[in-house]
Short mmCIF file of all heavy atoms in Angstrom, two decimals:
data_model
loop_
_atom_site.label_atom_id
_atom_site.label_comp_id
_atom_site.label_asym_id
_atom_site.label_seq_id
_atom_site.Cartn_x
_atom_site.Cartn_y
_atom_site.Cartn_z
N ASP A 235 -16.03 9.83 -12.75
CA ASP A 235 -15.17 10.13 -13.87
C ASP A 235 -14.20 8.97 -14.09
O ASP A 235 -13.51 8.55 -13.17
CB ASP A 235 -14.44 11.45 -13.56
CG ASP A 235 -13.45 11.85 -14.61
OD1 ASP A 235 -13.86 12.14 -15.73
OD2 ASP A 235 -12.27 11.89 -14.26
N LEU A 236 -14.13 8.47 -15.29
CA LEU A 236 -13.31 7.30 -15.60
C LEU A 236 -11.82 7.55 -15.42
O LEU A 236 -11.09 6.66 -14.97
CB LEU A 236 -13.60 6.81 -17.02
CG LEU A 236 -14.97 6.18 -17.24
CD1 LEU A 236 -15.15 5.81 -18.70
CD2 LEU A 236 -15.14 4.97 -16.36
N ALA A 237 -11.36 8.73 -15.76
CA ALA A 237 -9.94 9.04 -15.61
C ALA A 237 -9.53 9.01 -14.14
O ALA A 237 -8.48 8.46 -13.79
CB ALA A 237 -9.62 10.40 -16.22
N PHE A 238 -10.36 9.58 -13.28
CA PHE A 238 -10.07 9.58 -11.85
C PHE A 238 -10.07 8.15 -11.31
O PHE A 238 -9.18 7.78 -10.54
CB PHE A 238 -11.09 10.43 -11.09
CG PHE A 238 -10.89 10.41 -9.61
CD1 PHE A 238 -9.87 11.14 -9.03
CD2 PHE A 238 -11.70 9.63 -8.80
CE1 PHE A 238 -9.66 11.11 -7.66
CE2 PHE A 238 -11.49 9.58 -7.42
CZ PHE A 238 -10.46 10.32 -6.86
N GLU A 239 -11.04 7.35 -11.71
CA GLU A 239 -11.11 5.96 -11.26
C GLU A 239 -9.86 5.18 -11.68
O GLU A 239 -9.30 4.41 -10.90
CB GLU A 239 -12.36 5.27 -11.80
CG GLU A 239 -13.64 5.76 -11.16
CD GLU A 239 -14.88 5.14 -11.78
OE1 GLU A 239 -14.79 4.01 -12.31
OE2 GLU A 239 -15.94 5.79 -11.73
N TRP A 240 -9.42 5.41 -12.92
CA TRP A 240 -8.23 4.72 -13.42
C TRP A 240 -7.00 5.15 -12.61
O TRP A 240 -6.18 4.31 -12.23
CB TRP A 240 -8.03 5.04 -14.91
CG TRP A 240 -6.83 4.36 -15.47
CD1 TRP A 240 -6.74 3.08 -15.93
CD2 TRP A 240 -5.52 4.92 -15.60
NE1 TRP A 240 -5.47 2.82 -16.35
CE2 TRP A 240 -4.69 3.93 -16.17
CE3 TRP A 240 -4.98 6.17 -15.32
CZ2 TRP A 240 -3.34 4.15 -16.44
CZ3 TRP A 240 -3.64 6.38 -15.58
CH2 TRP A 240 -2.84 5.38 -16.13
N MET A 241 -6.88 6.45 -12.35
CA MET A 241 -5.73 6.95 -11.58
C MET A 241 -5.74 6.38 -10.17
O MET A 241 -4.68 6.00 -9.64
CB MET A 241 -5.73 8.48 -11.54
CG MET A 241 -5.33 9.08 -12.86
SD MET A 241 -5.25 10.91 -13.00
CE MET A 241 -5.53 11.53 -11.40
N MET A 242 -6.89 6.30 -9.54
CA MET A 242 -6.98 5.74 -8.19
C MET A 242 -6.60 4.26 -8.19
O MET A 242 -5.91 3.79 -7.29
CB MET A 242 -8.39 5.92 -7.62
CG MET A 242 -8.65 7.29 -7.06
SD MET A 242 -7.58 7.69 -5.65
CE MET A 242 -8.27 6.60 -4.42
N LYS A 243 -7.03 3.54 -9.20
CA LYS A 243 -6.70 2.11 -9.31
C LYS A 243 -5.19 1.96 -9.43
O LYS A 243 -4.59 1.10 -8.75
CB LYS A 243 -7.40 1.49 -10.50
CG LYS A 243 -7.15 0.02 -10.69
CD LYS A 243 -7.94 -0.53 -11.87
CE LYS A 243 -7.78 -2.00 -12.04
NZ LYS A 243 -6.54 -2.41 -12.67
N GLN A 244 -4.56 2.76 -10.26
CA GLN A 244 -3.11 2.70 -10.44
C GLN A 244 -2.39 3.04 -9.13
O GLN A 244 -1.41 2.37 -8.76
CB GLN A 244 -2.66 3.67 -11.54
CG GLN A 244 -3.19 3.34 -12.91
CD GLN A 244 -2.80 1.96 -13.38
OE1 GLN A 244 -1.64 1.58 -13.31
NE2 GLN A 244 -3.76 1.19 -13.85
N ARG A 245 -2.88 4.04 -8.44
CA ARG A 245 -2.26 4.46 -7.17
C ARG A 245 -2.37 3.35 -6.13
O ARG A 245 -1.39 3.02 -5.46
CB ARG A 245 -2.96 5.73 -6.68
CG ARG A 245 -2.36 6.33 -5.44
CD ARG A 245 -3.15 7.54 -5.01
NE ARG A 245 -2.38 8.40 -4.15
CZ ARG A 245 -2.91 9.38 -3.44
NH1 ARG A 245 -4.20 9.65 -3.53
NH2 ARG A 245 -2.15 10.13 -2.66
N LYS A 246 -3.55 2.76 -6.02
CA LYS A 246 -3.75 1.68 -5.05
C LYS A 246 -2.88 0.48 -5.36
O LYS A 246 -2.26 -0.10 -4.46
CB LYS A 246 -5.22 1.28 -4.98
CG LYS A 246 -6.11 2.36 -4.36
CD LYS A 246 -7.53 1.89 -4.16
CE LYS A 246 -8.30 1.85 -5.45
NZ LYS A 246 -9.72 1.57 -5.26
N GLU A 247 -2.80 0.10 -6.64
CA GLU A 247 -1.97 -1.04 -7.03
C GLU A 247 -0.50 -0.77 -6.72
O GLU A 247 0.21 -1.66 -6.24
CB GLU A 247 -2.15 -1.36 -8.51
CG GLU A 247 -3.49 -1.98 -8.83
CD GLU A 247 -3.70 -2.21 -10.32
OE1 GLU A 247 -2.82 -1.85 -11.13
OE2 GLU A 247 -4.77 -2.76 -10.66
N SER A 248 -0.04 0.43 -6.99
CA SER A 248 1.35 0.79 -6.73
C SER A 248 1.66 0.75 -5.24
O SER A 248 2.69 0.22 -4.83
CB SER A 248 1.65 2.17 -7.31
OG SER A 248 2.97 2.55 -7.02
N ILE A 249 0.78 1.30 -4.45
CA ILE A 249 0.98 1.31 -2.99
C ILE A 249 1.04 -0.12 -2.46
O ILE A 249 1.95 -0.48 -1.71
CB ILE A 249 -0.15 2.10 -2.29
CG1 ILE A 249 0.02 3.59 -2.57
CG2 ILE A 249 -0.16 1.82 -0.79
CD1 ILE A 249 -1.18 4.43 -2.16
N LEU A 250 0.08 -0.94 -2.85
CA LEU A 250 0.03 -2.31 -2.35
C LEU A 250 1.27 -3.09 -2.80
O LEU A 250 1.88 -3.83 -2.02
CB LEU A 250 -1.25 -3.00 -2.82
CG LEU A 250 -1.63 -4.27 -2.10
CD1 LEU A 250 -1.73 -4.06 -0.60
CD2 LEU A 250 -2.94 -4.80 -2.65
N TYR A 251 1.66 -2.91 -4.04
CA TYR A 251 2.86 -3.59 -4.55
C TYR A 251 4.09 -3.17 -3.74
O TYR A 251 4.88 -4.02 -3.30
CB TYR A 251 3.09 -3.27 -6.03
CG TYR A 251 4.34 -3.90 -6.56
CD1 TYR A 251 4.33 -5.21 -7.01
CD2 TYR A 251 5.55 -3.21 -6.54
CE1 TYR A 251 5.50 -5.82 -7.46
CE2 TYR A 251 6.72 -3.80 -6.99
CZ TYR A 251 6.69 -5.11 -7.45
OH TYR A 251 7.85 -5.70 -7.88
N GLN A 252 4.24 -1.88 -3.53
CA GLN A 252 5.42 -1.40 -2.80
C GLN A 252 5.44 -1.88 -1.35
O GLN A 252 6.50 -2.22 -0.83
CB GLN A 252 5.52 0.12 -2.88
CG GLN A 252 5.91 0.58 -4.25
CD GLN A 252 6.17 2.08 -4.30
OE1 GLN A 252 5.86 2.82 -3.38
NE2 GLN A 252 6.75 2.52 -5.40
N LEU A 253 4.28 -1.93 -0.72
CA LEU A 253 4.23 -2.42 0.66
C LEU A 253 4.60 -3.89 0.73
O LEU A 253 5.29 -4.32 1.65
CB LEU A 253 2.83 -2.22 1.25
CG LEU A 253 2.47 -0.79 1.64
CD1 LEU A 253 0.99 -0.70 1.98
CD2 LEU A 253 3.32 -0.30 2.79
N ARG A 254 4.17 -4.67 -0.23
CA ARG A 254 4.37 -6.11 -0.16
C ARG A 254 5.69 -6.59 -0.75
O ARG A 254 6.21 -7.60 -0.31
CB ARG A 254 3.22 -6.83 -0.84
CG ARG A 254 1.95 -6.72 -0.03
CD ARG A 254 0.90 -7.64 -0.54
NE ARG A 254 -0.20 -7.69 0.41
CZ ARG A 254 -1.36 -8.24 0.15
NH1 ARG A 254 -1.58 -8.79 -1.02
NH2 ARG A 254 -2.31 -8.25 1.04
N TYR A 255 6.19 -5.91 -1.78
CA TYR A 255 7.32 -6.48 -2.53
C TYR A 255 8.56 -5.61 -2.61
O TYR A 255 9.48 -5.96 -3.34
CB TYR A 255 6.85 -6.84 -3.95
CG TYR A 255 5.70 -7.80 -3.93
CD1 TYR A 255 4.42 -7.39 -4.30
CD2 TYR A 255 5.86 -9.12 -3.52
CE1 TYR A 255 3.35 -8.27 -4.27
CE2 TYR A 255 4.80 -10.01 -3.49
CZ TYR A 255 3.56 -9.58 -3.86
OH TYR A 255 2.50 -10.45 -3.82
N THR A 256 8.62 -4.51 -1.88
CA THR A 256 9.83 -3.70 -1.89
C THR A 256 10.31 -3.48 -0.45
O THR A 256 9.57 -3.74 0.50
CB THR A 256 9.63 -2.32 -2.55
OG1 THR A 256 8.86 -1.48 -1.68
CG2 THR A 256 8.96 -2.44 -3.91
N GLU A 257 11.52 -3.01 -0.35
CA GLU A 257 12.10 -2.69 0.96
C GLU A 257 11.92 -1.22 1.32
O GLU A 257 12.42 -0.78 2.35
CB GLU A 257 13.59 -3.05 0.96
CG GLU A 257 13.85 -4.53 0.75
CD GLU A 257 13.25 -5.41 1.84
OE1 GLU A 257 13.33 -5.01 3.03
OE2 GLU A 257 12.71 -6.47 1.51
N ALA A 258 11.21 -0.47 0.48
CA ALA A 258 10.98 0.95 0.78
C ALA A 258 10.25 1.08 2.12
O ALA A 258 9.37 0.27 2.43
CB ALA A 258 10.16 1.59 -0.33
N SER A 259 10.62 2.08 2.88
CA SER A 259 9.95 2.28 4.17
C SER A 259 8.51 2.75 3.93
O SER A 259 8.18 3.27 2.86
CB SER A 259 10.69 3.32 5.00
OG SER A 259 10.51 4.62 4.46
N ILE A 260 7.69 2.56 4.92
CA ILE A 260 6.30 3.01 4.84
C ILE A 260 6.27 4.52 4.64
O ILE A 260 5.47 5.02 3.84
CB ILE A 260 5.50 2.55 6.07
CG1 ILE A 260 5.35 1.02 6.04
CG2 ILE A 260 4.15 3.25 6.14
CD1 ILE A 260 4.75 0.40 7.27
N SER A 261 7.16 5.23 5.29
CA SER A 261 7.23 6.69 5.11
C SER A 261 7.57 7.05 3.67
O SER A 261 6.97 7.96 3.10
CB SER A 261 8.28 7.30 6.04
OG SER A 261 7.90 7.15 7.38
N GLU A 262 8.53 6.35 3.09
CA GLU A 262 8.91 6.62 1.70
C GLU A 262 7.73 6.40 0.76
O GLU A 262 7.47 7.21 -0.13
CB GLU A 262 10.06 5.73 1.28
CG GLU A 262 11.38 6.07 1.90
CD GLU A 262 12.47 5.06 1.59
OE1 GLU A 262 12.18 3.84 1.55
OE2 GLU A 262 13.61 5.50 1.40
N ILE A 263 7.03 5.30 0.95
CA ILE A 263 5.87 4.99 0.10
C ILE A 263 4.79 6.06 0.28
O ILE A 263 4.22 6.55 -0.69
CB ILE A 263 5.32 3.58 0.42
CG1 ILE A 263 6.38 2.52 0.12
CG2 ILE A 263 4.04 3.31 -0.35
CD1 ILE A 263 6.08 1.15 0.68
N CYS A 264 4.56 6.43 1.51
CA CYS A 264 3.57 7.45 1.84
C CYS A 264 3.84 8.75 1.09
O CYS A 264 2.97 9.25 0.36
CB CYS A 264 3.58 7.68 3.35
SG CYS A 264 2.75 9.17 3.93
N PHE A 265 5.02 9.28 1.24
CA PHE A 265 5.33 10.58 0.66
C PHE A 265 5.51 10.50 -0.86
O PHE A 265 5.19 11.44 -1.57
CB PHE A 265 6.51 11.21 1.37
CG PHE A 265 6.20 11.50 2.82
CD1 PHE A 265 6.92 10.88 3.84
CD2 PHE A 265 5.16 12.35 3.17
CE1 PHE A 265 6.60 11.12 5.18
CE2 PHE A 265 4.85 12.60 4.50
CZ PHE A 265 5.57 11.98 5.51
N GLU A 266 6.00 9.37 -1.36
CA GLU A 266 6.13 9.18 -2.80
C GLU A 266 4.78 9.26 -3.51
O GLU A 266 4.68 9.70 -4.64
CB GLU A 266 6.78 7.83 -3.09
CG GLU A 266 6.93 7.53 -4.57
CD GLU A 266 7.55 6.17 -4.81
OE1 GLU A 266 8.48 5.78 -4.07
OE2 GLU A 266 7.10 5.49 -5.74
N HIS A 267 3.73 8.83 -2.80
CA HIS A 267 2.39 8.84 -3.39
C HIS A 267 1.58 10.08 -3.04
O HIS A 267 0.38 10.13 -3.24
CB HIS A 267 1.64 7.56 -2.99
CG HIS A 267 2.16 6.36 -3.74
ND1 HIS A 267 3.22 5.63 -3.28
CD2 HIS A 267 1.79 5.82 -4.92
CE1 HIS A 267 3.47 4.67 -4.15
NE2 HIS A 267 2.62 4.76 -5.15
N GLY A 268 2.26 11.09 -2.50
CA GLY A 268 1.64 12.39 -2.33
C GLY A 268 0.85 12.62 -1.06
O GLY A 268 0.14 13.62 -0.94
N PHE A 269 0.97 11.72 -0.10
CA PHE A 269 0.28 11.93 1.18
C PHE A 269 1.07 12.91 2.02
O PHE A 269 2.30 12.89 2.02
CB PHE A 269 0.10 10.59 1.92
CG PHE A 269 -0.82 9.65 1.22
CD1 PHE A 269 -0.35 8.74 0.29
CD2 PHE A 269 -2.19 9.69 1.46
CE1 PHE A 269 -1.20 7.87 -0.37
CE2 PHE A 269 -3.05 8.83 0.80
CZ PHE A 269 -2.55 7.92 -0.11
N GLU A 270 0.36 13.74 2.74
CA GLU A 270 1.02 14.77 3.54
C GLU A 270 1.41 14.28 4.93
O GLU A 270 2.21 14.92 5.60
CB GLU A 270 0.14 16.01 3.64
CG GLU A 270 -0.06 16.68 2.30
CD GLU A 270 -0.90 17.94 2.39
OE1 GLU A 270 -1.17 18.39 3.52
OE2 GLU A 270 -1.26 18.47 1.33
N SER A 271 0.83 13.16 5.36
CA SER A 271 1.15 12.63 6.67
C SER A 271 0.97 11.12 6.68
O SER A 271 0.22 10.56 5.88
CB SER A 271 0.26 13.25 7.74
OG SER A 271 -1.07 12.80 7.60
N LEU A 272 1.66 10.48 7.62
CA LEU A 272 1.52 9.04 7.77
C LEU A 272 0.10 8.66 8.23
O LEU A 272 -0.40 7.61 7.85
CB LEU A 272 2.55 8.51 8.76
CG LEU A 272 3.97 8.46 8.22
CD1 LEU A 272 4.96 8.16 9.35
CD2 LEU A 272 4.10 7.43 7.13
N SER A 273 -0.53 9.52 9.02
CA SER A 273 -1.88 9.20 9.49
C SER A 273 -2.87 9.21 8.32
O SER A 273 -3.76 8.36 8.26
CB SER A 273 -2.33 10.14 10.61
OG SER A 273 -2.40 11.46 10.15
N HIS A 274 -2.71 10.15 7.40
CA HIS A 274 -3.57 10.19 6.22
C HIS A 274 -3.35 8.94 5.37
O HIS A 274 -4.29 8.32 4.86
CB HIS A 274 -3.32 11.46 5.41
CG HIS A 274 -4.27 11.64 4.27
ND1 HIS A 274 -3.93 12.31 3.14
CD2 HIS A 274 -5.55 11.23 4.07
CE1 HIS A 274 -4.94 12.29 2.28
NE2 HIS A 274 -5.93 11.64 2.83
N PHE A 275 -2.08 8.54 5.20
CA PHE A 275 -1.75 7.34 4.45
C PHE A 275 -2.35 6.10 5.11
O PHE A 275 -2.92 5.24 4.45
CB PHE A 275 -0.23 7.22 4.32
CG PHE A 275 0.22 6.03 3.53
CD1 PHE A 275 -0.11 5.89 2.19
CD2 PHE A 275 1.01 5.05 4.12
CE1 PHE A 275 0.32 4.80 1.46
CE2 PHE A 275 1.46 3.96 3.38
CZ PHE A 275 1.11 3.83 2.06
N SER A 276 -2.23 6.03 6.41
CA SER A 276 -2.78 4.90 7.15
C SER A 276 -4.30 4.82 6.99
O SER A 276 -4.85 3.74 6.77
CB SER A 276 -2.41 5.00 8.63
OG SER A 276 -2.88 3.88 9.33
N ASN A 277 -4.96 5.96 7.08
CA ASN A 277 -6.42 5.99 6.89
C ASN A 277 -6.80 5.55 5.48
O ASN A 277 -7.79 4.83 5.30
CB ASN A 277 -6.98 7.38 7.17
CG ASN A 277 -6.93 7.74 8.64
OD1 ASN A 277 -6.88 6.87 9.50
ND2 ASN A 277 -6.91 9.02 8.93
N PHE A 278 -6.03 5.95 4.48
CA PHE A 278 -6.26 5.55 3.10
C PHE A 278 -6.16 4.03 2.97
O PHE A 278 -7.02 3.37 2.38
CB PHE A 278 -5.24 6.23 2.18
CG PHE A 278 -5.34 5.85 0.74
CD1 PHE A 278 -6.14 6.57 -0.13
CD2 PHE A 278 -4.61 4.78 0.23
CE1 PHE A 278 -6.23 6.23 -1.48
CE2 PHE A 278 -4.69 4.42 -1.11
CZ PHE A 278 -5.51 5.15 -1.96
N CYS A 279 -5.10 3.46 3.54
CA CYS A 279 -4.90 2.01 3.47
C CYS A 279 -6.02 1.26 4.17
O CYS A 279 -6.53 0.25 3.66
CB CYS A 279 -3.55 1.62 4.07
SG CYS A 279 -2.15 2.13 3.05
N LYS A 280 -6.43 1.74 5.33
CA LYS A 280 -7.53 1.09 6.04
C LYS A 280 -8.82 1.15 5.25
O LYS A 280 -9.58 0.18 5.21
CB LYS A 280 -7.71 1.73 7.42
CG LYS A 280 -6.58 1.39 8.37
CD LYS A 280 -6.72 2.15 9.68
CE LYS A 280 -5.50 1.93 10.55
NZ LYS A 280 -5.54 2.77 11.75
N LYS A 281 -9.05 2.28 4.58
CA LYS A 281 -10.28 2.44 3.80
C LYS A 281 -10.29 1.54 2.57
O LYS A 281 -11.28 0.87 2.29
CB LYS A 281 -10.42 3.90 3.37
CG LYS A 281 -11.64 4.16 2.51
CD LYS A 281 -11.77 5.63 2.14
CE LYS A 281 -12.99 5.86 1.27
NZ LYS A 281 -13.15 7.28 0.93
N TYR A 282 -9.20 1.50 1.83
CA TYR A 282 -9.19 0.80 0.55
C TYR A 282 -8.68 -0.65 0.62
O TYR A 282 -9.01 -1.46 -0.23
CB TYR A 282 -8.38 1.58 -0.49
CG TYR A 282 -9.09 2.84 -0.91
CD1 TYR A 282 -8.67 4.08 -0.46
CD2 TYR A 282 -10.21 2.78 -1.74
CE1 TYR A 282 -9.33 5.24 -0.84
CE2 TYR A 282 -10.88 3.93 -2.11
CZ TYR A 282 -10.43 5.15 -1.66
OH TYR A 282 -11.10 6.29 -2.03
N PHE A 283 -7.85 -0.95 1.63
CA PHE A 283 -7.29 -2.30 1.73
C PHE A 283 -7.76 -3.05 2.98
O PHE A 283 -7.48 -4.22 3.14
CB PHE A 283 -5.76 -2.27 1.73
CG PHE A 283 -5.17 -1.54 0.55
CD1 PHE A 283 -4.25 -0.52 0.74
CD2 PHE A 283 -5.53 -1.86 -0.74
CE1 PHE A 283 -3.68 0.14 -0.34
CE2 PHE A 283 -4.98 -1.19 -1.84
CZ PHE A 283 -4.06 -0.18 -1.62
N GLY A 284 -8.43 -2.33 3.87
CA GLY A 284 -8.97 -2.97 5.07
C GLY A 284 -7.98 -3.18 6.19
O GLY A 284 -8.29 -3.87 7.16
N ASP A 285 -6.78 -2.58 6.07
CA ASP A 285 -5.79 -2.78 7.13
C ASP A 285 -4.74 -1.67 7.07
O ASP A 285 -4.66 -0.93 6.09
CB ASP A 285 -5.10 -4.13 6.96
CG ASP A 285 -4.78 -4.79 8.29
OD1 ASP A 285 -4.68 -4.06 9.31
OD2 ASP A 285 -4.61 -6.01 8.31
N SER A 286 -3.93 -1.59 8.11
CA SER A 286 -2.89 -0.57 8.18
C SER A 286 -1.72 -0.94 7.27
O SER A 286 -1.53 -2.11 6.93
CB SER A 286 -2.39 -0.44 9.62
OG SER A 286 -1.67 -1.62 9.97
N PRO A 287 -0.93 0.05 6.88
CA PRO A 287 0.25 -0.25 6.05
C PRO A 287 1.18 -1.27 6.71
O PRO A 287 1.69 -2.17 6.05
CB PRO A 287 0.95 1.11 5.91
CG PRO A 287 -0.10 2.12 6.15
CD PRO A 287 -1.06 1.50 7.12
N ARG A 288 1.36 -1.16 8.00
CA ARG A 288 2.24 -2.10 8.70
C ARG A 288 1.72 -3.53 8.61
O ARG A 288 2.47 -4.47 8.35
CB ARG A 288 2.39 -1.69 10.16
CG ARG A 288 3.32 -2.59 10.94
CD ARG A 288 3.49 -2.06 12.32
NE ARG A 288 4.09 -0.73 12.20
CZ ARG A 288 4.97 -0.23 13.04
NH1 ARG A 288 5.33 -0.91 14.08
NH2 ARG A 288 5.46 0.96 12.87
N ASN A 289 0.42 -3.70 8.82
CA ASN A 289 -0.15 -5.05 8.74
C ASN A 289 -0.14 -5.58 7.31
O ASN A 289 0.04 -6.79 7.10
CB ASN A 289 -1.57 -5.08 9.30
CG ASN A 289 -1.58 -4.98 10.81
OD1 ASN A 289 -0.58 -5.23 11.47
ND2 ASN A 289 -2.70 -4.58 11.36
N LEU A 290 -0.35 -4.71 6.33
CA LEU A 290 -0.26 -5.15 4.94
C LEU A 290 1.14 -5.65 4.62
O LEU A 290 1.31 -6.64 3.92
CB LEU A 290 -0.65 -4.00 4.00
CG LEU A 290 -2.12 -3.60 4.04
CD1 LEU A 290 -2.33 -2.27 3.35
CD2 LEU A 290 -2.99 -4.68 3.41
N ARG A 291 2.14 -4.99 5.17
CA ARG A 291 3.52 -5.43 4.96
C ARG A 291 3.78 -6.75 5.68
O ARG A 291 4.45 -7.62 5.16
CB ARG A 291 4.48 -4.35 5.46
CG ARG A 291 5.92 -4.79 5.32
CD ARG A 291 6.86 -3.65 5.20
NE ARG A 291 6.90 -3.23 3.81
CZ ARG A 291 7.55 -2.16 3.38
NH1 ARG A 291 8.16 -1.39 4.24
NH2 ARG A 291 7.58 -1.85 2.11
N LYS A 292 3.22 -6.92 6.86
CA LYS A 292 3.39 -8.17 7.61
C LYS A 292 2.76 -9.34 6.86
O LYS A 292 3.27 -10.46 6.92
CB LYS A 292 2.77 -8.06 9.00
CG LYS A 292 3.57 -7.24 9.96
CD LYS A 292 2.88 -7.20 11.30
CE LYS A 292 3.60 -6.29 12.28
NZ LYS A 292 2.89 -6.21 13.57
N GLU A 293 1.66 -9.09 6.16
CA GLU A 293 1.01 -10.15 5.39
C GLU A 293 2.00 -10.73 4.38
O GLU A 293 2.03 -11.92 4.15
CB GLU A 293 -0.22 -9.63 4.65
CG GLU A 293 -1.40 -9.36 5.54
CD GLU A 293 -2.57 -8.76 4.78
OE1 GLU A 293 -2.56 -8.77 3.53
OE2 GLU A 293 -3.50 -8.27 5.44
N LYS A 294 2.81 -9.87 3.78
CA LYS A 294 3.83 -10.31 2.82
C LYS A 294 4.79 -11.26 3.50
O LYS A 294 5.09 -12.33 2.99
CB LYS A 294 4.59 -9.13 2.25
CG LYS A 294 5.78 -9.55 1.39
CD LYS A 294 6.79 -8.45 1.21
CE LYS A 294 7.53 -8.20 2.49
NZ LYS A 294 8.71 -7.39 2.38
N SER A 295 5.24 -10.91 4.68
CA SER A 295 6.19 -11.75 5.40
C SER A 295 5.58 -13.10 5.74
O SER A 295 6.24 -14.12 5.62
CB SER A 295 6.64 -11.05 6.69
OG SER A 295 7.31 -9.85 6.39
N ALA A 296 4.31 -13.10 6.13
CA ALA A 296 3.63 -14.35 6.45
C ALA A 296 3.49 -15.22 5.20
O ALA A 296 3.68 -16.44 5.27
CB ALA A 296 2.26 -14.05 7.06
N GLU A 297 3.18 -14.61 4.05
CA GLU A 297 3.06 -15.37 2.80
C GLU A 297 4.39 -16.01 2.44
O GLU A 297 4.44 -17.17 2.04
CB GLU A 297 2.62 -14.44 1.67
CG GLU A 297 1.18 -13.99 1.76
CD GLU A 297 0.84 -12.93 0.71
OE1 GLU A 297 1.62 -12.75 -0.25
OE2 GLU A 297 -0.22 -12.30 0.86
N ILE A 298 5.49 -15.27 2.58
CA ILE A 298 6.81 -15.80 2.26
C ILE A 298 7.16 -16.94 3.18
O ILE A 298 7.69 -17.97 2.76
CB ILE A 298 7.86 -14.67 2.30
CG1 ILE A 298 7.62 -13.71 1.14
CG2 ILE A 298 9.27 -15.24 2.25
CD1 ILE A 298 8.44 -12.44 1.20
N GLN A 299 6.86 -16.80 4.47
CA GLN A 299 7.16 -17.86 5.43
C GLN A 299 6.42 -19.14 5.09
O GLN A 299 6.98 -20.24 5.21
CB GLN A 299 6.82 -17.41 6.86
CG GLN A 299 7.74 -16.34 7.40
CD GLN A 299 9.18 -16.77 7.43
OE1 GLN A 299 9.51 -17.89 7.76
NE2 GLN A 299 10.08 -15.88 7.03
N LYS A 300 5.17 -19.03 4.66
CA LYS A 300 4.39 -20.21 4.27
C LYS A 300 5.04 -20.91 3.09
O LYS A 300 5.11 -22.14 3.04
CB LYS A 300 2.95 -19.82 3.91
CG LYS A 300 2.10 -19.52 5.10
CD LYS A 300 0.69 -19.15 4.64
CE LYS A 300 -0.14 -18.67 5.81
NZ LYS A 300 -1.48 -18.24 5.38
N ILE A 301 5.52 -20.15 2.12
CA ILE A 301 6.15 -20.71 0.93
C ILE A 301 7.44 -21.46 1.32
O ILE A 301 7.74 -22.53 0.79
CB ILE A 301 6.45 -19.62 -0.11
CG1 ILE A 301 5.13 -19.09 -0.68
CG2 ILE A 301 7.35 -20.14 -1.22
CD1 ILE A 301 5.27 -17.83 -1.50
N LEU A 302 8.19 -20.89 2.26
CA LEU A 302 9.47 -21.45 2.63
C LEU A 302 9.36 -22.69 3.53
O LEU A 302 10.32 -23.43 3.66
CB LEU A 302 10.33 -20.40 3.33
CG LEU A 302 10.75 -19.21 2.46
CD1 LEU A 302 11.51 -18.20 3.29
CD2 LEU A 302 11.58 -19.67 1.27
N GLN A 303 8.22 -22.93 4.10
CA GLN A 303 8.06 -24.09 5.01
C GLN A 303 7.84 -25.37 4.25
O GLN A 303 7.41 -25.47 3.18
CB GLN A 303 6.89 -23.86 5.95
CG GLN A 303 7.20 -22.81 6.97
CD GLN A 303 6.06 -22.56 7.93
OE1 GLN A 303 4.95 -23.03 7.73
NE2 GLN A 303 6.34 -21.83 8.98
#
């Protein structure tokens, strides 16, 4: 269904943006996007982004460090 695919794309983009570019806690992002537990959120991130929320956030820090060097 195209509507579902579009909604999932928007949800994934929002999650990834918030993990990389905001100071919101992982818990805040998790519950804001309707997940009932951090483990469910972590499994979602691993499935769709290939890594845990914590590691996705660390990637942002590594990117910034490279720019600043």
Side-chain angles (χ1 to χ4, degrees):
D235 177 65
L236 290 177
F238 177 77
E239 289 176 27
W240 180 83
M241 287 180 6
M242 280 297 290
K243 181 178 183 281
Q244 297 302 311
R245 185 182 200 193
K246 291 186 285 187
E247 288 176 358
S248 177
I249 289 168
L250 196 55
Y251 178 85
Q252 288 187 348
L253 285 170
R254 290 192 169 169
Y255 302 109
T256 73
E257 297 298 319
S259 72
I260 292 172
S261 294
E262 289 173 322
I263 298 167
C264 165
F265 297 118
E266 178 181 320
H267 286 87
F269 293 91
E270 294 182 10
S271 69
L272 286 170
S273 63
H274 186 209
F275 182 62
S276 183
N277 289 337
F278 177 91
C279 289
K280 289 174 187 173
K281 178 178 179 178
Y282 290 105
F283 305 127
D285 216 338
S286 69
R288 182 176 299 216
N289 287 341
L290 291 166
R291 177 154 276 174
K292 285 181 185 178
E293 287 176 13
K294 172 200 71 167
S295 297
E297 289 173 14
I298 291 171
Q299 290 301 319
K300 285 180 187 177
I301 291 168
L302 295 176
Q303 289 180 350

